[in-house]
């Protein structure tokens, strides 16, 4: 039975089975604090066809599995990932939650995705 496609705005920790189609708008290799020549994590910003964005963290133990499968600007179908609270100092999106890759996370290139290449968001600040 095929899973329904979800939107980024729907993602929350209430269920375990998500399937999203997204574009990687930003990909950042975060070095280890104690040893800058080692990677601590890979952080991504994903955007769906509605323009909604969510952060992804790929922790050190998962880097070897996923680092060569994802490219900035490419679109993917993602399934079977963890969802956690978007807390901490680095929050590139306003989404309340973020995605955490697991050793069972599935990634498929999606060349048919109708997702914009750029995810520019402008906000008016009143001072």
């Amino acid at each position: 039975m095929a899973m329904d496609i979800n939107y980024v705005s729907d993602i929350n920790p209430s269920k375990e089975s998500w399937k999203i189609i997204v574009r990687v708008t930003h990909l950042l290799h975060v070095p280890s604090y104690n040893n800058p020549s080692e990677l601590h994590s890979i952080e991504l910003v994903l955007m769906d066809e509605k323009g909604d964005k969510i952060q992804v963290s790929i922790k050190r133990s998962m880097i070897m599995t996923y680092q060569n499968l994802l490219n900035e600007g490419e679109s993917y179908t993602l399934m079977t990932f963890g969802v956690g609270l978007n807390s901490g100092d680095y929050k590139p999106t306003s989404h309340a939650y973020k995605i955490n890759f697991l050793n069972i996370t599935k990634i498929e290139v999606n060349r048919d995705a109708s997702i914009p290449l750029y995810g520019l968001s402008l906000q008016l600040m009143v001072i």
Side-chain angles (χ1 to χ4, degrees):
M1 183 173 161
M3 288 177 60
D4 291 333
I5 304 296
N6 303 109
Y7 289 109
V8 164
S9 60
D10 299 328
I11 294 177
N12 64 69
S14 69
K15 70 178 196 173
E16 295 180 8
S17 297
W18 295 99
K19 182 177 182 180
I20 56 174
I21 298 174
V22 291
R23 183 178 305 281
V24 177
T25 62
H26 294 85
L27 187 149
L28 175 67
H29 293 88
V30 180
S32 173
Y33 179 75
N34 294 328
N35 186 355
S37 65
E38 291 182 7
L39 282 180
H40 171 71
S41 67
I42 297 176
E43 302 294 323
L44 303 106
V45 176
L46 305 179
M47 181 176 67
D48 68 12
E49 67 181 24
K50 295 180 4 182
D52 293 319
K53 299 175 191 167
I54 192 164
Q55 179 180 351
V56 174
S57 289
I58 303 174
K59 299 301 179 198
R60 182 186 327 226
S61 61
M62 300 286 126
I63 289 174
M64 293 303 292
T65 303
Y66 295 109
Q67 77 176 15
N68 295 323
L69 298 178
L70 297 162
N71 296 302
E72 193 168 298
E74 295 293 327
S75 296
Y76 302 93
T77 301
L78 299 181
M79 297 168 277
T80 320
F81 47 81
V83 177
L85 196 59
N86 188 10
S87 60
D89 294 333
Y90 178 68
K91 290 191 218 179
T93 74
S94 60
H95 201 293
Y97 302 101
K98 70 178 182 175
I99 292 172
N100 296 303
F101 274 28
L102 308 169
N103 60 357
I104 57 171
T105 298
K106 294 180 178 82
I107 302 171
E108 297 173 358
V109 174
N110 189 319
R111 302 210 189 281
D112 298 327
S114 59
I115 303 168
L117 280 175
Y118 306 103
L120 183 61
S121 298
L122 300 175
Q123 293 180 332
L124 179 62
M125 295 182 71
V126 179
I127 301 176

